[in-house]
Structures are given as structure tokens and as C-alpha cells.
Amino acid sequence: MATYWDPFQEMDRLFSSFASNARQSGAMPMDLFRTGDHYVLSMDLPGVDPGTIDVSVEDRTLTVRAERTQRSDADAQWLVRERSTGTFARQLTVGRGLALDRISASYADGVLSLTIPVSEDAKPRKIEVAHAAGSTPIGQGSSESHQTIES
């Protein structure tokens, strides 16, 4: 029986120290999809300084960190302040079968995009079955090997 294996099945179970705060976990919403031989992860990081974005992999944990600084107008009188500031982090546990050493990342228009290739070992491949030369195909044996049983 064949089963479908998704290396990101347990991916979103770890968070940073503020993961228990539901509002903070929404600070880095993401989309994930597979296309061809790679996965694409897109994470919204609006207003983040690109220089503060840090993507790292340790063992099977992918960590994304970024910082949004607080606007510091001394004479500003805030009426509404809903945008979170500070350092945000999200950790994703990934399964085997990914080429974590070949992840590429780009940041444009407030979206961080990671391209994570499937490793060569995890890609499906055809295995050829060899047959010995001179072997007799089934059903075409010599007449000496056939026996007739009469009752």
C-alpha cells in the first residue's frame, strides 16, 4: 500500500517563546505549496527592515526571525496603535526528504519567499528489473518439464 508523505506535516508545531499569544502568531502568516521538485513558502512580513530578516536551519528546524521597529515621533499623539513591533520569530519543523542546504530566499513587497527543493533521494525514480540471459520466459518451458497427470 502506497502512502503519501508530506515533509511539512509537523512543520508548524513549534513557535518562539511568545507562541502562546495568538495575536503574535498571526504576525507572520504564511502560505506553503509544492510545485514540481520544490516547496514554496511565502511569509508576510510587512514593514520589516530587510536587514533584520534571518533565516536559519538547525537539524530539522527552520527558523525565520525579523524585526519591525517602533516609530518614534516624539510629538506624535497616537489614536490607534494596532501594528505589532519588536522581534518576531517562527520555527517550523520539517521532515526528511528536503535539500535544506539549497534553500533560497528573497524578500519583496513585504513578502519573504523561501524555495525549498526536494532532495534527490526523495524524488520518485524508476527501477529497472534486469533478467538473466538465457532464462526461459514463464509459459514457454521445454516439453520435458511438463507432466501430464491422468486419472
Side-chain angles (χ1 to χ4, degrees):
M1 175 171 134
T3 58
Y4 178 73
W5 176 72
D6 181 3
F8 287 94
Q9 184 176 5
E10 298 179 24
M11 183 169 135
D12 203 12
R13 87 188 160 124
L14 295 178
F15 288 96
S16 66
S17 60
F18 53 83
S20 61
N21 185 339
R23 189 177 133 203
Q24 292 292 341
S25 66
M28 298 176 79
M30 69 176 200
D31 291 334
L32 175 67
F33 61 92
R34 181 175 178 166
T35 178
D37 291 358
H38 59 277
Y39 288 87
V40 176
L41 185 146
S42 298
M43 188 174 287
D44 288 347
L45 297 173
V48 168
D49 176 13
T52 67
I53 298 173
D54 179 51
V55 179
S56 62
V57 177
E58 184 176 336
D59 192 24
R60 291 282 160 205
T61 302
L62 174 70
T63 304
V64 177
R65 281 185 178 36
E67 184 176 346
R68 185 181 305 125
T69 56
Q70 183 173 350
R71 188 174 177 151
S72 59
D73 292 341
D75 48 332
Q77 294 179 355
W78 292 98
L79 302 175
V80 177
R81 192 173 203 163
E82 295 179 346
R83 296 178 59 213
S84 302
T85 59
T87 301
F88 303 93
R90 189 155 184 186
Q91 291 185 316
L92 310 166
T93 302
V94 297
R96 306 233 180 259
L98 300 174
L100 299 178
D101 57 334
R102 295 189 292 133
I103 295 175
S104 61
S106 63
Y107 181 72
D109 300 326
V111 178
L112 174 67
S113 295
L114 302 178
T115 302
I116 308 166
V118 174
S119 69
E120 292 299 320
D121 292 342
K123 291 180 183 175
R125 57 192 165 278
K126 181 143 177 89
I127 299 171
E128 292 192 36
V129 178
H131 55 79
S135 63
T136 306
I138 297 175
Q140 294 183 358
S142 65
S143 60
E144 297 171 4
S145 64
H146 294 286
Q147 295 182 357
T148 305
I149 303 175
E150 296 180 20
S151 48

